[in-house]
Amino acid sequence: SPVLDVAAIRADFPILSRQVHGRPLVYLDNAATSQTPRQVIEAFDAYYSGYNANIHRGLHTLADEATAAFEGTRETVRGFLNAAEHREIIFTRGTTEAINLVVNSWGRANLGPGDEVLISRLEHHSNIVPWQLLAAELGFTIKVIPVDERGVLDLDAYRALLGERTRLVAVNHVSNAFGTVNPVKEMAALAHAHGALILVDGAQATPHQEVDVRDIDADFYAFSGHKVYGPTGVGVLYGKAALLEAMPPWQGGGEMIRTVSFEAGTTFAEIPHKFEAGTPAIAEVIALGEALRWVAGVGLSAIGAWEERLLQHATAAVSRIDGLRILGTAPGKAGVLSFVVDGAHSQDIGLLIDQLGVAIRTGHHCAQPLLAQFGVDATCRASFAAYNTLEEIDTFAEALTRVIGMVR
Ligand code: PMP
């Protein structure tokens, strides 16, 4: 199996040497946001110290350098997703904005009464609420793809839900709440067989596995920089060029126009610029490019294999705790361990374990419809990244045992 040099990886992350409440930080909240290697931090310094300028419009050296770095990142992202063309890569603020772009541009132009959008019960609120907002306005119907007791999507039910009024399927590649990896390639083929499009929320997949949007045959694919060792404030929407070209602009402003006239009306720029109104997060985009280079240097298959090892170790360790129930037991799931404990509130566990230097997440993980099915409104969630160690998992399991003993 591929070996990861975890010590060398950790040396790239300055934050990992800090202490929390007098103890070494054990950071297990990677599904919420990953930590940032120095290469990414240094990209900000290089930009602001060396070539800070607005892009595209300039005719001076700094503007040219910033534009080259920004557009170079578009090509890096294209390669990262194996998209066919760099104009299929649109920079957004994150996954949430990428989904809102599809909803408000494609959705507004293509959905009406009688139309159906299928959304899985595993979705993050960001792939539910934008659709609900538009459905309230346009009167189309949202149908829910069910999950079983393991947190696995029911593909037979999915097949049965697909029909001639299905226009789009919205599904995540990997669930942030349970770690379930969904068969998005198979789901895309089924959607296409019914003339429907598929939007894949890749926020939790891109940090853990290689993604090939052409192999999946995704129509839209979204991810966030801050979950893949990059900065906050930047994300990506991939869309097939023909779809993006046919879609109306969403936000209006500078950068996205060709000509503006009060008399003759306004004409729009070609993709991707048609969907990038205003000055983007230039430094963040450039730093995202560094993050993707860092990830490629380590290798996503090695990262994924290491996280699986961490997950197995953690699962075995917490399984010894009396009254602990793991939610989400899908085969082959990603490095996410969600659990509840009899007689101990998740929030209490989260607060107390922080006192021991361990960062986990507690709450509904922006997946209330999923948690409701399991009869809980919150879980504790430990989620893993390339820099986590087996020793950290042991520290976490010991701290968890201690904390549960305190609150019970
Ligand atoms: N989808 C999934 C599966 C996520 O895990 C998240 C972040 N928790 C999002 C969407 C939203 O991402 P962002 O907040 O970066 O826009």
Side-chain angles (χ1 to χ4, degrees):
S1 68
V3 179
L4 222 55
D5 186 349
V6 180
I9 287 173
R10 290 181 71 82
D12 280 342
F13 291 81
I15 208 170
L16 294 180
S17 53
R18 74 160 280 180
Q19 306 230 315
V20 170
H21 300 301
R23 291 167 194 262
L25 166 67
V26 174
Y27 187 79
L28 300 177
D29 192 18
N30 296 287
T33 204
S34 50
Q35 295 304 339
T36 317
R38 59 182 166 74
Q39 292 86 340
V40 173
I41 301 167
E42 284 164 8
F44 281 92
D45 192 46
Y47 171 77
Y48 285 113
S49 308
Y51 59 101
N52 177 18
N54 212 330
I55 53 168
H56 296 142
R57 290 171 288 234
L59 277 175
H60 58 79
T61 301
L62 269 52
D64 285 347
E65 289 176 8
T67 302
F70 184 91
E71 290 301 328
T73 300
R74 206 186 298 279
E75 176 57 23
T76 304
V77 175
R78 185 207 63 72
F80 181 71
L81 295 177
N82 196 32
E85 303 177 60
H86 58 75
R87 64 196 185 112
E88 297 178 313
I89 304 301
I90 297 161
F91 290 115
T92 66
R93 282 194 299 124
T95 304
T96 302
E97 192 178 66
I99 295 169
N100 276 275
L101 193 167
V102 174
V103 170
N104 286 289
S105 171
W106 180 87
R108 204 170 278 286
N110 289 283
L111 296 173
D115 289 331
E116 294 172 5
V117 171
L118 304 189
I119 303 181
S120 100
R121 186 168 287 278
L122 282 172
E123 293 318 294
H124 187 278
H125 295 164
S126 63
N127 207 13
I128 299 174
V129 181
W131 297 108
Q132 288 178 324
L133 289 172
L134 192 66
E137 230 182 283
L138 301 185
F140 62 88
T141 303
I142 292 170
K143 294 196 165 178
V144 183
I145 308 167
V147 295
D148 69 15
E149 67 291 345
R150 300 167 301 168
V152 175
L153 287 181
D154 181 341
L155 283 195
D156 289 333
Y158 171 55
R159 277 189 200 90
L161 282 169
L162 282 164
E164 62 181 29
R165 297 314 304 263
T166 311
R167 296 284 173 258
L168 183 137
V169 176
V171 65
N172 58 43
H173 197 165
V174 173
S175 152
N176 65 307
F178 285 5
T180 310
V181 181
N182 292 311
V184 288
K185 182 176 178 175
E186 192 181 343
M187 292 180 75
L190 286 163
H192 293 150
H194 286 82
L197 302 181
I198 188 162
L199 177 152
V200 182
D201 166 359
Q204 296 292 342
T206 40
H208 310 296
Q209 63 181 81
E210 273 162 24
V211 170
D212 182 330
V213 290
R214 277 188 285 175
D215 180 58
I216 296 167
D217 201 12
D219 298 294
F220 302 106
Y221 195 99
F223 74 93
S224 296
H226 69 97
K227 293 184 199 280
V228 62
Y229 306 100
T232 56
V234 60
V236 167
L237 174 69
Y238 158 83
K240 287 180 181 167
L243 286 169
L244 293 176
E245 278 173 340
M247 282 158 53
W250 171 36
Q251 296 175 330
E255 295 285 345
M256 52 78 71
I257 55 88
R258 181 177 295 138
T259 58
V260 178
S261 158
F262 282 117
E263 294 73 30
T266 291
T267 58
F268 302 111
E270 300 294 332
I271 62 167
H273 306 293
K274 181 171 78 175
F275 293 110
E276 293 179 354
T279 301
I282 301 168
E284 285 77 2
V285 166
I286 294 168
L288 172 63
E290 279 313 316
L292 299 184
R293 267 188 285 284
W294 184 88
V295 166
V298 178
L300 270 167
S301 57
I303 292 175
W306 178 242
E307 288 167 346
E308 194 183 330
R309 180 94 193 276
L310 294 167
L311 176 67
Q312 281 167 6
H313 194 69
T315 305
V318 305
S319 297
R320 290 191 280 271
I321 297 174
D322 187 41
L324 183 146
R325 176 163 67 108
I326 294 173
L327 282 84
T329 51
K333 74 172 189 170
V336 173
L337 187 67
S338 239
F339 57 89
V340 290
V341 183
D342 286 344
H345 285 296
S346 296
Q347 202 185 339
D348 294 339
I349 293 174
L351 287 169
L352 287 169
I353 206 167
D354 174 66
Q355 295 294 316
L356 301 175
V358 180
I360 62 171
R361 179 136 307 231
T362 57
H364 54 60
H365 317 299
C366 297
Q368 287 182 343
L370 178 64
L371 263 53
Q373 175 173 328
F374 288 77
V376 298
D377 54 20
T379 76
C380 296
R381 182 187 70 186
S383 53
F384 312 119
Y387 41 69
N388 288 128
T389 65
L390 295 170
E391 294 72 30
E392 285 183 312
I393 304 295
D394 293 336
T395 304
F396 155 68
E398 280 159 30
L400 183 62
T401 307
R402 212 174 124 188
V403 159
I404 291 168
M406 286 162 73
V407 296
R408 259 192 190 145

